[in-house]
Amino acid sequence: MNDATRHLIDIDRLSDDEIETLINRACALASGADPGHLDASVANLFFEPSTRTRVSFELAAARVGMQPINIEMAQASTTKGESLEDTVATLAAMGIGCLVLRHAEIGLHARLAAALPAGVHLVNAGEGSRAHPSQALLDAATLRARGIEPAGLKLAVVGDVRHSRVAASGLRLWPRLGVEELRLAGPADLLPAGQPSPGVIHCSTLEEAVRDADVVMMLRIQHERMDRSGWPDPAAYHADWGLKSEHLDVAAANCVVMHPGPINRGVEIAAEVADGDRSLILEQVRMGVFMRMAIFEWLLKR
Ligand code: NCD
């Protein structure tokens, strides 16, 4: 491994300066700054379903002049028994400069990155329930682009926090950006196990979580990471934990609503809130492309 080759594995590996650079660059690109031109190919390797993240990386690559290649993992050589290590080495030998990987296995991204030849970069586009750093970064950029600084905010994360890699990366990022109060809320089974870490508050009701909150981030129930199929009942869940207009009445006056998507209308969020004027959901999607452009630029910067 070559230490000079950058990878995006998780938030913890980024310095404060790197975090600021990425967020600011995404905001600049969103306001029309010229993207650089990067001469490299990028392979998208998604072993889990994805629409927005995969398309976002693909569009971002194209916009910075890179050649994106989508590999249909259901038809890839890993289905013929090849190890992912060998698939990745094969792609690197063909001159692929960047690998964007979504995979359920925790620790795989770091392991593969450490074994890559110098000059080949790896981006974590989702790692089980552990990390999704580009999503956390684009969420922060979405706020900044709106003129909302995370420092001093009360931010509520509501829903299936336990299985959410978006929440996991957010829990790493938000304190670094000075969020004053990070509230986690959801059914007890869906909150992180154990005691909350310093600066994090576990709330037992949705009302408690959203009261005076500046940002409310709703999460989908990650059924694919649970053994209990069909649980919880969607209507009962919506009654207790679905964000509805009335909740915004007790939130801070300018409270904004976020959701990484895919959204389940009528489950974790009422349609009128998802489509309402407090919602930044499509702004997050838009900012996702600019953040991934910023990530490619940062990775390949000499
Ligand atoms: C999330 C993911 O895949 O972790 N989606 C995303 O990348 N925007 C959240 C989810 O699947 O619920």
Side-chain angles (χ1 to χ4, degrees), residues 136 139-140 143 148-158 161 166-167 169-175 177-185 199-203 208-219 251-252 255-259 280 284:
D139 290 342
L143 291 178
I148 305 170
E149 272 311 306
L153 295 187
K154 294 184 176 61
L155 191 151
V157 182
V158 182
V161 185
V166 178
S169 283
L171 276 162
R172 300 291 184 184
L173 182 63
W174 298 119
L177 296 175
V179 162
E180 181 188 299
E181 221 176 270
L182 194 46
R183 303 172 181 173
L184 305 183
V200 177
I201 300 170
H202 285 189
C203 301
E208 190 187 332
V210 300
R211 186 164 298 280
D212 302 324
D214 302 290
V215 180
V216 179
M217 181 174 296
M218 302 307 295
L219 300 172
C255 174
V256 290
V257 176
M258 304 179 86
H259 191 312
L280 297 186
Q284 291 171 269

Side-chain angles (χ1 to χ4, degrees), residues 49 52-53 102 132 135 165-166 220 222 224-225 260-262:
R52 77 211 71 225
T53 304
R102 172 171 284 196
H132 193 354
Q135 179 72 42
R165 53 190 170 214
V166 178
R220 182 180 69 88
Q222 312 267 308
E224 68 276 26
R225 297 195 223 292

Side-chain angles (χ1 to χ4, degrees), residues 188-205:
D189 291 20
L190 300 182
L191 283 183
Q195 289 302 309
S197 39
V200 177
I201 300 170
H202 285 189
C203 301
S204 48
T205 64

